[in-house]
PDB file of all heavy atoms in Angstrom:
ATOM      1  N   LEU A 413     -11.506 -24.952 -17.025  1.00  0.00           N
ATOM      2  CA  LEU A 413     -12.455 -24.693 -15.949  1.00  0.00           C
ATOM      3  C   LEU A 413     -13.883 -24.513 -16.597  1.00  0.00           C
ATOM      4  O   LEU A 413     -14.117 -23.633 -17.415  1.00  0.00           O
ATOM      5  CB  LEU A 413     -12.123 -23.366 -15.191  1.00  0.00           C
ATOM      6  CG  LEU A 413     -13.106 -22.923 -14.141  1.00  0.00           C
ATOM      7  CD1 LEU A 413     -13.126 -23.914 -12.939  1.00  0.00           C
ATOM      8  CD2 LEU A 413     -12.831 -21.493 -13.702  1.00  0.00           C
ATOM      9  N   TYR A 414     -14.757 -25.389 -16.149  1.00  0.00           N
ATOM     10  CA  TYR A 414     -16.177 -25.304 -16.630  1.00  0.00           C
ATOM     11  C   TYR A 414     -16.958 -24.672 -15.463  1.00  0.00           C
ATOM     12  O   TYR A 414     -16.861 -25.099 -14.338  1.00  0.00           O
ATOM     13  CB  TYR A 414     -16.716 -26.687 -16.899  1.00  0.00           C
ATOM     14  CG  TYR A 414     -16.147 -27.392 -18.117  1.00  0.00           C
ATOM     15  CD1 TYR A 414     -14.873 -27.934 -18.023  1.00  0.00           C
ATOM     16  CD2 TYR A 414     -16.866 -27.532 -19.295  1.00  0.00           C
ATOM     17  CE1 TYR A 414     -14.281 -28.576 -19.139  1.00  0.00           C
ATOM     18  CE2 TYR A 414     -16.264 -28.145 -20.413  1.00  0.00           C
ATOM     19  CZ  TYR A 414     -15.030 -28.703 -20.322  1.00  0.00           C
ATOM     20  OH  TYR A 414     -14.480 -29.263 -21.424  1.00  0.00           O
ATOM     21  N   TYR A 415     -17.715 -23.598 -15.773  1.00  0.00           N
ATOM     22  CA  TYR A 415     -18.407 -22.889 -14.681  1.00  0.00           C
ATOM     23  C   TYR A 415     -19.694 -22.190 -15.164  1.00  0.00           C
ATOM     24  O   TYR A 415     -19.913 -21.975 -16.372  1.00  0.00           O
ATOM     25  CB  TYR A 415     -17.466 -21.859 -14.104  1.00  0.00           C
ATOM     26  CG  TYR A 415     -16.818 -20.862 -15.047  1.00  0.00           C
ATOM     27  CD1 TYR A 415     -17.273 -19.540 -15.124  1.00  0.00           C
ATOM     28  CD2 TYR A 415     -15.763 -21.237 -15.893  1.00  0.00           C
ATOM     29  CE1 TYR A 415     -16.714 -18.644 -15.960  1.00  0.00           C
ATOM     30  CE2 TYR A 415     -15.191 -20.336 -16.789  1.00  0.00           C
ATOM     31  CZ  TYR A 415     -15.657 -19.004 -16.795  1.00  0.00           C
ATOM     32  OH  TYR A 415     -15.117 -18.103 -17.654  1.00  0.00           O
ATOM     33  N   PHE A 416     -20.494 -21.837 -14.166  1.00  0.00           N
ATOM     34  CA  PHE A 416     -21.726 -21.093 -14.492  1.00  0.00           C
ATOM     35  C   PHE A 416     -21.356 -19.666 -14.821  1.00  0.00           C
ATOM     36  O   PHE A 416     -20.771 -18.957 -13.999  1.00  0.00           O
ATOM     37  CB  PHE A 416     -22.653 -21.080 -13.238  1.00  0.00           C
ATOM     38  CG  PHE A 416     -23.121 -22.443 -12.821  1.00  0.00           C
ATOM     39  CD1 PHE A 416     -22.967 -22.877 -11.494  1.00  0.00           C
ATOM     40  CD2 PHE A 416     -23.744 -23.347 -13.722  1.00  0.00           C
ATOM     41  CE1 PHE A 416     -23.442 -24.087 -11.068  1.00  0.00           C
ATOM     42  CE2 PHE A 416     -24.158 -24.589 -13.263  1.00  0.00           C
ATOM     43  CZ  PHE A 416     -23.973 -24.971 -11.965  1.00  0.00           C
ATOM     44  N   ALA A 417     -21.723 -19.247 -15.980  1.00  0.00           N
ATOM     45  CA  ALA A 417     -21.339 -17.889 -16.435  1.00  0.00           C
ATOM     46  C   ALA A 417     -22.188 -16.835 -15.830  1.00  0.00           C
ATOM     47  O   ALA A 417     -21.871 -15.643 -15.761  1.00  0.00           O
ATOM     48  CB  ALA A 417     -21.387 -17.787 -17.995  1.00  0.00           C
ATOM     49  N   ASN A 418     -23.402 -17.232 -15.461  1.00  0.00           N
ATOM     50  CA  ASN A 418     -24.358 -16.255 -14.852  1.00  0.00           C
ATOM     51  C   ASN A 418     -25.152 -16.887 -13.739  1.00  0.00           C
ATOM     52  O   ASN A 418     -25.079 -18.133 -13.576  1.00  0.00           O
ATOM     53  CB  ASN A 418     -25.329 -15.707 -15.894  1.00  0.00           C
ATOM     54  CG  ASN A 418     -26.125 -16.829 -16.590  1.00  0.00           C
ATOM     55  OD1 ASN A 418     -25.513 -17.768 -17.184  1.00  0.00           O
ATOM     56  ND2 ASN A 418     -27.411 -16.777 -16.569  1.00  0.00           N
ATOM     57  N   SER A 419     -25.739 -16.128 -12.935  1.00  0.00           N
ATOM     58  CA  SER A 419     -26.401 -16.646 -11.721  1.00  0.00           C
ATOM     59  C   SER A 419     -27.801 -16.104 -11.644  1.00  0.00           C
ATOM     60  O   SER A 419     -28.101 -15.013 -12.136  1.00  0.00           O
ATOM     61  CB  SER A 419     -25.645 -16.253 -10.471  1.00  0.00           C
ATOM     62  OG  SER A 419     -26.361 -16.506  -9.315  1.00  0.00           O
ATOM     63  N   HIS A 420     -28.704 -16.876 -11.027  1.00  0.00           N
ATOM     64  CA  HIS A 420     -30.082 -16.444 -10.800  1.00  0.00           C
ATOM     65  C   HIS A 420     -30.267 -15.603  -9.551  1.00  0.00           C
ATOM     66  O   HIS A 420     -31.350 -15.119  -9.323  1.00  0.00           O
ATOM     67  CB  HIS A 420     -30.999 -17.647 -10.755  1.00  0.00           C
ATOM     68  CG  HIS A 420     -31.279 -18.266 -12.094  1.00  0.00           C
ATOM     69  ND1 HIS A 420     -31.644 -19.606 -12.248  1.00  0.00           N
ATOM     70  CD2 HIS A 420     -31.233 -17.760 -13.354  1.00  0.00           C
ATOM     71  CE1 HIS A 420     -31.807 -19.864 -13.547  1.00  0.00           C
ATOM     72  NE2 HIS A 420     -31.575 -18.737 -14.206  1.00  0.00           N
ATOM     73  N   TRP A 421     -29.209 -15.478  -8.724  1.00  0.00           N
ATOM     74  CA  TRP A 421     -29.322 -14.781  -7.497  1.00  0.00           C
ATOM     75  C   TRP A 421     -29.745 -13.298  -7.797  1.00  0.00           C
ATOM     76  O   TRP A 421     -29.092 -12.573  -8.573  1.00  0.00           O
ATOM     77  CB  TRP A 421     -28.079 -14.743  -6.714  1.00  0.00           C
ATOM     78  CG  TRP A 421     -27.729 -16.055  -6.085  1.00  0.00           C
ATOM     79  CD1 TRP A 421     -26.857 -16.980  -6.488  1.00  0.00           C
ATOM     80  CD2 TRP A 421     -28.355 -16.645  -4.896  1.00  0.00           C
ATOM     81  NE1 TRP A 421     -26.848 -18.101  -5.658  1.00  0.00           N
ATOM     82  CE2 TRP A 421     -27.716 -17.895  -4.681  1.00  0.00           C
ATOM     83  CE3 TRP A 421     -29.337 -16.194  -4.014  1.00  0.00           C
ATOM     84  CZ2 TRP A 421     -28.112 -18.702  -3.642  1.00  0.00           C
ATOM     85  CZ3 TRP A 421     -29.710 -17.040  -2.972  1.00  0.00           C
ATOM     86  CH2 TRP A 421     -29.077 -18.236  -2.792  1.00  0.00           C
ATOM     87  N   GLY A 422     -30.864 -12.824  -7.218  1.00  0.00           N
ATOM     88  CA  GLY A 422     -31.299 -11.471  -7.416  1.00  0.00           C
ATOM     89  C   GLY A 422     -32.064 -11.221  -8.712  1.00  0.00           C
ATOM     90  O   GLY A 422     -32.470 -10.108  -8.960  1.00  0.00           O
ATOM     91  N   SER A 423     -32.286 -12.293  -9.520  1.00  0.00           N
ATOM     92  CA  SER A 423     -32.899 -12.044 -10.799  1.00  0.00           C
ATOM     93  C   SER A 423     -34.207 -12.852 -10.978  1.00  0.00           C
ATOM     94  O   SER A 423     -34.822 -12.847 -12.061  1.00  0.00           O
ATOM     95  CB  SER A 423     -31.934 -12.436 -11.908  1.00  0.00           C
ATOM     96  OG  SER A 423     -31.643 -13.784 -11.919  1.00  0.00           O
ATOM     97  N   LEU A 424     -34.652 -13.497  -9.935  1.00  0.00           N
ATOM     98  CA  LEU A 424     -35.919 -14.259 -10.051  1.00  0.00           C
ATOM     99  C   LEU A 424     -37.121 -13.362  -9.801  1.00  0.00           C
ATOM    100  O   LEU A 424     -37.036 -12.356  -9.009  1.00  0.00           O
ATOM    101  CB  LEU A 424     -35.945 -15.410  -9.000  1.00  0.00           C
ATOM    102  CG  LEU A 424     -34.824 -16.406  -9.079  1.00  0.00           C
ATOM    103  CD1 LEU A 424     -34.969 -17.485  -7.992  1.00  0.00           C
ATOM    104  CD2 LEU A 424     -34.766 -17.100 -10.444  1.00  0.00           C
ATOM    105  N   ASP A 425     -38.241 -13.660 -10.464  1.00  0.00           N
ATOM    106  CA  ASP A 425     -39.402 -12.870 -10.266  1.00  0.00           C
ATOM    107  C   ASP A 425     -40.109 -13.329  -8.954  1.00  0.00           C
ATOM    108  O   ASP A 425     -39.609 -14.220  -8.279  1.00  0.00           O
ATOM    109  CB  ASP A 425     -40.384 -12.921 -11.431  1.00  0.00           C
ATOM    110  CG  ASP A 425     -40.831 -14.348 -11.719  1.00  0.00           C
ATOM    111  OD1 ASP A 425     -40.846 -15.165 -10.809  1.00  0.00           O
ATOM    112  OD2 ASP A 425     -41.283 -14.579 -12.899  1.00  0.00           O
ATOM    113  N   ARG A 426     -41.267 -12.751  -8.624  1.00  0.00           N
ATOM    114  CA  ARG A 426     -41.922 -13.071  -7.343  1.00  0.00           C
ATOM    115  C   ARG A 426     -42.390 -14.484  -7.283  1.00  0.00           C
ATOM    116  O   ARG A 426     -42.541 -15.056  -6.210  1.00  0.00           O
ATOM    117  CB  ARG A 426     -43.109 -12.084  -7.120  1.00  0.00           C
ATOM    118  CG  ARG A 426     -42.691 -10.656  -6.899  1.00  0.00           C
ATOM    119  CD  ARG A 426     -43.875  -9.754  -6.640  1.00  0.00           C
ATOM    120  NE  ARG A 426     -43.486  -8.405  -6.332  1.00  0.00           N
ATOM    121  CZ  ARG A 426     -44.355  -7.445  -6.035  1.00  0.00           C
ATOM    122  NH1 ARG A 426     -45.625  -7.695  -6.019  1.00  0.00           N
ATOM    123  NH2 ARG A 426     -43.931  -6.196  -5.808  1.00  0.00           N
ATOM    124  N   SER A 427     -42.641 -15.120  -8.430  1.00  0.00           N
ATOM    125  CA  SER A 427     -43.062 -16.500  -8.372  1.00  0.00           C
ATOM    126  C   SER A 427     -41.877 -17.502  -8.399  1.00  0.00           C
ATOM    127  O   SER A 427     -42.083 -18.705  -8.466  1.00  0.00           O
ATOM    128  CB  SER A 427     -43.973 -16.762  -9.626  1.00  0.00           C
ATOM    129  OG  SER A 427     -43.241 -16.570 -10.845  1.00  0.00           O
ATOM    130  N   GLY A 428     -40.651 -16.926  -8.388  1.00  0.00           N
ATOM    131  CA  GLY A 428     -39.457 -17.799  -8.371  1.00  0.00           C
ATOM    132  C   GLY A 428     -39.030 -18.230  -9.732  1.00  0.00           C
ATOM    133  O   GLY A 428     -38.154 -19.169  -9.844  1.00  0.00           O
ATOM    134  N   ARG A 429     -39.494 -17.630 -10.807  1.00  0.00           N
ATOM    135  CA  ARG A 429     -39.105 -17.999 -12.151  1.00  0.00           C
ATOM    136  C   ARG A 429     -37.968 -17.142 -12.630  1.00  0.00           C
ATOM    137  O   ARG A 429     -37.815 -15.999 -12.264  1.00  0.00           O
ATOM    138  CB  ARG A 429     -40.266 -17.843 -13.141  1.00  0.00           C
ATOM    139  CG  ARG A 429     -41.320 -18.896 -12.857  1.00  0.00           C
ATOM    140  CD  ARG A 429     -42.519 -18.630 -13.811  1.00  0.00           C
ATOM    141  NE  ARG A 429     -43.171 -17.321 -13.555  1.00  0.00           N
ATOM    142  CZ  ARG A 429     -44.265 -16.896 -14.122  1.00  0.00           C
ATOM    143  NH1 ARG A 429     -44.862 -17.662 -14.998  1.00  0.00           N
ATOM    144  NH2 ARG A 429     -44.708 -15.664 -13.856  1.00  0.00           N
ATOM    145  N   ALA A 430     -37.100 -17.755 -13.412  1.00  0.00           N
ATOM    146  CA  ALA A 430     -35.896 -17.073 -13.962  1.00  0.00           C
ATOM    147  C   ALA A 430     -36.193 -16.411 -15.267  1.00  0.00           C
ATOM    148  O   ALA A 430     -36.906 -16.952 -16.144  1.00  0.00           O
ATOM    149  CB  ALA A 430     -34.735 -18.032 -14.122  1.00  0.00           C
ATOM    150  N   SER A 431     -35.650 -15.217 -15.483  1.00  0.00           N
ATOM    151  CA  SER A 431     -35.853 -14.506 -16.706  1.00  0.00           C
ATOM    152  C   SER A 431     -35.001 -15.067 -17.824  1.00  0.00           C
ATOM    153  O   SER A 431     -35.291 -14.894 -19.027  1.00  0.00           O
ATOM    154  CB  SER A 431     -35.536 -12.993 -16.529  1.00  0.00           C
ATOM    155  OG  SER A 431     -34.223 -12.845 -16.072  1.00  0.00           O
ATOM    156  N   ARG A 432     -33.877 -15.659 -17.497  1.00  0.00           N
ATOM    157  CA  ARG A 432     -32.966 -16.274 -18.423  1.00  0.00           C
ATOM    158  C   ARG A 432     -32.338 -17.522 -17.876  1.00  0.00           C
ATOM    159  O   ARG A 432     -32.141 -17.623 -16.677  1.00  0.00           O
ATOM    160  CB  ARG A 432     -31.880 -15.242 -18.882  1.00  0.00           C
ATOM    161  CG  ARG A 432     -31.087 -14.710 -17.726  1.00  0.00           C
ATOM    162  CD  ARG A 432     -29.972 -13.758 -18.182  1.00  0.00           C
ATOM    163  NE  ARG A 432     -28.871 -14.461 -18.805  1.00  0.00           N
ATOM    164  CZ  ARG A 432     -27.666 -13.913 -18.953  1.00  0.00           C
ATOM    165  NH1 ARG A 432     -27.426 -12.681 -18.517  1.00  0.00           N
ATOM    166  NH2 ARG A 432     -26.707 -14.579 -19.529  1.00  0.00           N
ATOM    167  N   PRO A 433     -31.988 -18.431 -18.716  1.00  0.00           N
ATOM    168  CA  PRO A 433     -31.384 -19.697 -18.238  1.00  0.00           C
ATOM    169  C   PRO A 433     -29.886 -19.449 -17.895  1.00  0.00           C
ATOM    170  O   PRO A 433     -29.273 -18.457 -18.307  1.00  0.00           O
ATOM    171  CB  PRO A 433     -31.494 -20.705 -19.389  1.00  0.00           C
ATOM    172  CG  PRO A 433     -31.523 -19.809 -20.641  1.00  0.00           C
ATOM    173  CD  PRO A 433     -32.260 -18.531 -20.206  1.00  0.00           C
ATOM    174  N   VAL A 434     -29.314 -20.358 -17.173  1.00  0.00           N
ATOM    175  CA  VAL A 434     -27.883 -20.287 -16.794  1.00  0.00           C
ATOM    176  C   VAL A 434     -27.093 -21.015 -17.903  1.00  0.00           C
ATOM    177  O   VAL A 434     -27.463 -22.115 -18.300  1.00  0.00           O
ATOM    178  CB  VAL A 434     -27.679 -20.893 -15.429  1.00  0.00           C
ATOM    179  CG1 VAL A 434     -26.154 -21.088 -15.129  1.00  0.00           C
ATOM    180  CG2 VAL A 434     -28.262 -20.042 -14.349  1.00  0.00           C
ATOM    181  N   SER A 435     -25.962 -20.419 -18.268  1.00  0.00           N
ATOM    182  CA  SER A 435     -25.082 -21.012 -19.228  1.00  0.00           C
ATOM    183  C   SER A 435     -23.826 -21.551 -18.569  1.00  0.00           C
ATOM    184  O   SER A 435     -23.314 -20.956 -17.590  1.00  0.00           O
ATOM    185  CB  SER A 435     -24.632 -19.987 -20.336  1.00  0.00           C
ATOM    186  OG  SER A 435     -25.777 -19.553 -21.069  1.00  0.00           O
ATOM    187  N   ILE A 436     -23.345 -22.648 -19.018  1.00  0.00           N
ATOM    188  CA  ILE A 436     -22.051 -23.165 -18.617  1.00  0.00           C
ATOM    189  C   ILE A 436     -21.035 -22.846 -19.707  1.00  0.00           C
ATOM    190  O   ILE A 436     -21.212 -23.162 -20.873  1.00  0.00           O
ATOM    191  CB  ILE A 436     -22.099 -24.729 -18.377  1.00  0.00           C
ATOM    192  CG1 ILE A 436     -23.034 -25.013 -17.199  1.00  0.00           C
ATOM    193  CG2 ILE A 436     -20.722 -25.263 -18.092  1.00  0.00           C
ATOM    194  CD1 ILE A 436     -23.216 -26.460 -16.865  1.00  0.00           C
TER     195      ILE A 436
END
Side-chain angles (χ1 to χ4, degrees):
L413 175 69
Y414 293 75
Y415 56 104
F416 299 128
N418 57 305
S419 170
H420 284 154
W421 288 104
S423 65
L424 302 180
D425 61 23
R426 292 184 178 180
S427 63
R429 291 176 298 186
S431 59
R432 55 178 287 199
V434 169
S435 296
I436 294 178

